[in-house]
Amino acid sequence: MGRPRILILGGTSEARLLAEALAARDDRDVLLSLAGRTEKPAVQPVPVRIGGFGGAAALSAFLKAGGYDLLIDATHPFAERISANAAFAAETACIAAIVLRRPEWQRRPGDRWREVRSIPAAIEALGPSPRHVFLATGRQGAHHAEAAPQHHYLVRSVDPVEPALALDNVEYILERGPFTLDGECDLLRRHDIDAIVAKNSGGAATYAKIEAARLLGIEVMMVARAPASIVKAVDTVEAALAAIDHLFPPAMKRGV
C-alpha cells in the first residue's frame, strides 16, 4: 500500500505532540482536525482542517472520500459526543480507530474531592449557602452556574464566555495553561475561594489548581469522565505511535 492516510481529531496537547512525531517521520499523510471552538488555536505541525463535520454519518463520508486508513480520536476527555461520532464513523467507514486519552487525575492524601457526574450536579453540590467558587470548567459549561446565583463565581476560560452569565457576582479571567502552583495558590487566596468546580481532565497543564486546593484545604467538585469508549485506547503519545506502527509497519520494517 502507499503512504497511510491518518485523520487526527485534535484540540489537545497530546494531539499536537502526536502530529509533531508523525510529521518528523514523514512516512504518513496526516490531517489534523480542530473543532474551531478556540479563537486563536496554536500553530500545528501538519495540515489542519477547522470546523465540525456535521455528525457521525458526515464524518464517515469524509473518511471514505479522503481514502483514510486510520482515525485517531485525540479530543478532550470530555468531548463525549465527538468521541461517540468518531467510533461510529470509523466502524461504518471500515477503517481502524485509536483513542488517545490522557490518564485521569487520581485522588491523593489531603484531596477534598466530591465526585459528581456532571457540571449541573457539581453546582448543586455546592449547597444553598453562598460560597466563593472557582469555576474552572471552561466557557462551554459556565452557564450552568446560573442555576445557583447565590454564589460568587470566578470563571476562567481561554476565550470569553458569551453571552455573559446572568449573575450579579461573577468575575472572568481569560488565560491559557499551563498554570503554576504558586500562581494558582495566589489566585485562590486573592479571591477567597472555598470551592472549585473542575473536570477530571488529566494532564499536567491544569493540574496546579488541584494541587493548590490540596495545599489550601479547598473542596473540589470533581466532574467524572463518561465511561470509556469501546475503541482501542492508549494513554500516551508513545503508545499511540506504537499502535500506528503495528497497524502500518514503517517501510524499513516491511523490507521496502
Side-chain angles (χ1 to χ4, degrees):
M1 63 182 292
R3 290 160 60 95
R5 303 206 71 198
I6 300 173
L7 175 64
I8 301 175
L9 304 181
T12 60
S13 58
E14 289 81 10
R16 179 179 55 78
L17 291 171
L18 177 60
E20 280 182 357
L22 291 171
R25 294 184 177 193
D26 196 29
D27 60 351
R28 314 279 199 268
D29 288 330
V30 180
L31 176 65
L32 178 61
S33 177
L34 302 176
R37 294 189 178 123
T38 301
E39 293 177 1
K40 296 180 180 178
V43 175
Q44 303 292 339
V46 297
V48 173
R49 175 194 182 279
I50 294 181
F53 291 91
L59 175 54
S60 178
F62 181 90
L63 293 168
K64 291 177 182 176
Y68 286 92
D69 303 291
L70 174 64
L71 175 63
I72 300 177
D73 173 10
T75 57
H76 191 274
F78 282 85
E80 290 103 340
R81 181 177 299 178
I82 298 174
S83 292
N85 286 348
F88 176 88
E91 183 178 4
T92 54
C94 299
I95 68 168
I98 298 171
V99 174
L100 172 55
R101 196 74 80 234
R102 68 183 77 133
E104 293 178 307
W105 295 321
Q106 299 298 318
R107 187 193 299 265
R108 295 178 55 182
D111 283 327
R112 296 178 57 205
W113 290 10
R114 190 181 305 187
E115 294 192 347
V116 293
R117 68 186 183 280
S118 65
I119 296 176
I123 299 298
E124 183 178 357
L126 292 168
S129 300
R131 305 182 71 173
H132 287 76
V133 181
F134 180 25
L135 190 60
T137 58
R139 63 173 178 165
Q140 290 182 301
H143 66 278
H144 292 296
E146 294 174 349
Q150 71 271 26
H151 305 303
H152 293 70
Y153 292 98
L154 176 66
V155 181
R156 182 167 69 191
S157 57
V158 175
D159 297 315
V161 177
E162 296 177 347
L165 302 183
L167 294 168
D168 292 331
N169 299 308
V170 60
E171 186 174 345
Y172 301 95
I173 299 177
L174 296 181
E175 285 184 324
R176 184 195 299 268
F179 302 103
T180 67
L181 176 58
D182 287 345
E184 297 293 69
C185 284
D186 180 63
L187 179 74
L188 298 175
R189 289 191 182 104
R190 278 190 289 113
H191 292 272
D192 295 321
I193 298 299
D194 58 63
I196 297 174
V197 176
K199 297 176 179 177
N200 195 333
S201 302
T206 61
Y207 183 68
K209 65 176 177 286
I210 306 302
E211 192 173 3
R214 182 189 310 129
L215 292 175
L216 299 177
I218 294 172
E219 187 175 26
V220 179
M221 307 304 171
M222 184 66 77
V223 181
R225 295 184 188 181
S229 168
I230 59 172
V231 175
K232 174 182 172 60
V234 295
D235 59 13
T236 65
V237 171
E238 291 74 20
L241 291 169
I244 294 168
D245 285 346
H246 179 74
L247 288 167
F248 310 106
M252 187 178 298
K253 292 182 179 180
R254 296 197 310 263
V256 175

